[in-house]
Amino acid sequence: MLAEVLKSDITRLDVDAIVNAANRSLLGGGGVDGAIHRAAGPGLLEECGKFGHCDTGKAVITKAYNLPCRHVIHTPGSVWRGGGNGEAELLKSCYMSCLSLACDYELETIAFPSISTGIYGFPLREASHIAVFTVFSWNKDFPRKVIFVTFSEEATEIYREVLSRFNVR
Ligand code: APR
């Protein structure tokens, strides 16, 4: 699995799929969810509405409309409640569900934001470990490359440090 860290606005990436840190309603919100819906346009909200909802840790895939990427994979992350309520397992499930859809659709490159580490309050370092270890444990043919998209210097440094343990900078 190829992987890299990229500090960027995820809505600008021309990749097969970007992952949206959504909520269970799939009806948009703030953070990266808001940015993706703003950039994609109303067609994305209309398609998301057809799913009704998406459970935490699960994922759905839609078209990307006005975004430069081909698909958006929406996954509701886990809200941090102190760490003793299965938050880590649910966050791992987000990554697994997204990777599974990328594999089903034979997507070459997908870009993940740092799911749950904003409004949902998941500690950044623990979340980055879950993200990177889950991706590097994935052993299917697709996706071939994962981009961990960071939105702050702190997140970039943390993801780079975790990825370096896999000899990746
Ligand atoms: N590009 C890349 N990363 C971004 C962007 C962007 N344009 N905007 C925000 N981020 C980063 C944040 O800095 C954070 O590290 O995405 C990560 C996830 O933060 P949130 O978007 O707040 O998502 P999350 O913590 O999973 O909370 C989800 O927030 O937006 C609502 O509807 C959403 O209810 C859901 C909740």
Side-chain angles (χ1 to χ4, degrees), residues 8-11 21-24 28-36 75 77-78 113-122 124 149-152 155:
S8 170
D9 174 349
I10 201 168
T11 66
N23 62 55
R24 295 174 63 243
V32 71
D33 196 3
I36 287 172
T75 184
S78 53
S114 184
I115 302 168
S116 290
T117 63
I119 294 165
Y120 279 1
F122 208 110
L124 192 51
V149 183
T150 53
F151 210 52
S152 69

